Amino acid sequence: MGPADLSELLHVLEAPEDKRMLVPPGDDAGVFLLNEDTALVETVDVITPLVNDPYLFGRISATNSLSDIYAMGGTPLTCLAIFGFSSCDYEMDVFELVLKGAMESIALSGACLLGGHSFEDREMKFGLSVTGIVRPQRVLRKEGAAPGDHIILTKPVGTGVLTTALKGGKVDEDGISEAIKWMCTLNAEAARVALSAHATACTDVTGFGLLGHACNMLRDTEVDFHIRLESVPVFEGVREFVEMGIVPEGAYNNLNFHKSYIDAPGVEEESLLILSDPQTSGGLLFTIKPGNLHILKESGLTCWRIGEVRQGSGRIIID
Ligand code: CO
Ligand code: CO
């Protein structure tokens, strides 16, 4: 079983039909129609510490929680914090630093923190429930990639490997500062550009890894993703750690789970593990028509063209 995403389960259970439910469980966030021009977009995500610095953990976790709103083309408005915390193990200032970090990310997003809930928990957990708004006609869905589209990724991959190395004492926070900087970067600008470039499909890369989330975009479609391995941006040091065997268990689980949808003859397992590495606060993965590539270029957004969409049967071809 991959990372817990209750949306997936709700999807299987088939939520009762309601016309106001524009996007039912199963996408990055749910979308609920308020009126002709406005829909609510809602999501929740909670993670355990992946860096030692509590302030940075708060920043990363909040950025990660906000990401699903952006992945739907939405604008975050309000947040509620969810905090699992052992008062025996941590001082109050740790609690405050995590919240301070989260507030910083929330402020950057333009949203407000309205409240939250904390509870005793042996392992620290922190995240946000976020509500945003989106124009109903401009919701970015997971599905919709068409033959000829280009596949765009807006952050490098490898945060799972790097934070595993950090936990194992193989590197310190300074050594992975580039990845931390990206994990603290909101997907706001990426979403704005995806919308203005008329993205045909969009998701964010999180726990299922690049290949897992690409698979989700392809489910029940008649297209394939052709991904060029050398075009996928990977954080410095990731390959070396993978070669040393420092790979999060989630990467193996993701790869096993999605293997049957992937054709990668001649691609070594290390590379497939990197492409399956579970990401925290990863980038947006979206598809656009070739005629709109100039909008990306003109926007100045840092992003990578990692492949193309072709007619097919929902598979990923890597070369
Ligand atoms: Co998502
Ligand atoms: Co999510």
Side-chain angles (χ1 to χ4, degrees), residues 43-64:
T43 181
V44 59
D45 209 338
V46 176
I47 61 172
T48 54
L50 67 171
V51 291
N52 305 318
D53 182 322
Y55 171 81
L56 283 177
F57 170 54
R59 280 214 59 182
I60 292 169
S61 177
T63 307
N64 180 65

Side-chain angles (χ1 to χ4, degrees), residues 6 24 69 116 145 151 173 192 232 245 278:
L6 201 58
I69 301 288
I151 307 168
E173 268 162 18
R192 199 186 59 70
V232 178

Side-chain angles (χ1 to χ4, degrees), residues 139-163:
V139 175
L140 295 175
R141 301 285 305 254
K142 259 188 332 190
E143 301 89 9
D149 287 357
H150 289 274
I151 307 168
I152 311 294
L153 178 66
T154 69
K155 289 184 189 179
V157 297
T159 65
V161 169
L162 294 180
T163 54

Side-chain angles (χ1 to χ4, degrees), residues 5 28 43 45 68:
D5 191 338
D28 290 299
T43 181
D45 209 338
D68 278 328

